[in-house]
Amino acid sequence: MPAVMEGALADLSAWKTDHCSLVKALEIVGTRSTLLILREAYYGTTRFSGFAQRIGITEKVAAKQLRHLTEAGLLEKRPYRDEGGRTRDEYVLTDMGRDLLPVVLGLMQWGDKYLQGEQAPLQYVEHDSGDTVRVELRTESGHQVELDELGVRRNPQWRRPPSGPPTSGPAAGEPGS
């Protein structure tokens, strides 16, 4: 069963998906190398050469993706200098980058379940307790939510960004994502 589309969203043919948050997110993190750079940042990689080597990408691709993630606000540059060397930049996660962790862990968890056979190569645990970490949909009160229990409704407080008149899709304040 699919999610329950509520109110004006119930008729899928009556609204468009412009201004979709998923599209906006994929514009930033929708490539393999971008997600792998984030994985490495979560694992503690901070130096340009470390990203390129650990992911197996060219320095040109690493430079492009690190610049992209920095401009998008997921990473920030921090200067460092090895003894006897020149000042260089390392890349560290911002709050925005750290907030993406459940998404990346969710993809890993899905890959572990459906693509790794009987055993996943890594375990993700709470460091102090050793308890397994899982990404799940839960309500604010802690109830686990399955797909057919998920309601999708228009946010009455959302307003179309003032970027000019829409070329297509719903009018301001109508469903859009």
Side-chain angles (χ1 to χ4, degrees):
M1 297 284 302
V4 180
M5 305 304 285
E6 299 179 4
L9 303 181
D11 180 2
L12 292 177
S13 65
W15 59 279
K16 296 190 183 299
T17 58
D18 38 345
H19 299 287
C20 177
S21 298
L22 179 60
V23 170
K24 291 174 182 268
L26 287 172
E27 287 172 357
I28 296 173
V29 298
T31 67
R32 180 181 188 273
S33 57
T34 300
L35 287 171
L36 294 178
I37 284 173
L38 287 169
R39 178 198 66 192
E40 290 307 313
Y42 298 134
Y43 290 171
T45 302
T46 59
R47 304 223 172 145
F48 174 83
S49 61
F51 287 109
Q53 289 172 336
R54 287 196 42 88
I55 297 169
I57 57 178
T58 66
E59 288 188 357
K60 182 178 180 179
V61 170
K64 178 183 176 189
Q65 295 298 0
L66 287 166
R67 182 173 42 257
H68 172 70
L69 288 169
T70 301
E71 290 171 355
L74 281 79
L75 296 174
E76 65 184 10
K77 290 182 184 182
R78 185 183 318 156
Y80 75 92
R81 190 163 127 179
D82 289 330
E83 190 173 325
R86 66 180 176 91
T87 300
R88 297 175 183 246
D89 289 321
E90 64 181 357
Y91 298 86
V92 295
L93 289 161
T94 63
D95 288 343
M96 185 181 186
R98 283 187 292 278
D99 283 349
L100 201 56
L101 176 61
V103 174
V104 176
L105 261 177
L107 282 171
M108 291 181 196
Q109 186 176 304
W110 178 85
D112 288 347
K113 181 175 181 178
Y114 293 105
L115 307 175
Q116 289 291 354
E118 298 203 14
Q119 292 297 320
L122 302 175
Q123 293 180 329
Y124 298 94
V125 299
E126 182 186 26
H127 176 65
D128 290 337
S129 71
D131 289 344
T132 300
V133 172
R134 302 219 22 97
V135 176
E136 300 177 331
L137 291 180
R138 294 201 173 268
T139 64
E140 289 179 356
S141 62
H143 173 75
Q144 187 171 352
V145 178
E146 298 298 327
L147 176 60
D148 60 353
E149 299 172 310
L150 178 67
V152 181
R153 65 178 61 146
R154 181 188 160 278
N155 179 353
Q157 292 151 3
W158 181 84
R159 296 292 177 256
R160 180 178 302 281
S163 61
T167 56
S168 65
E174 292 183 12
S177 182

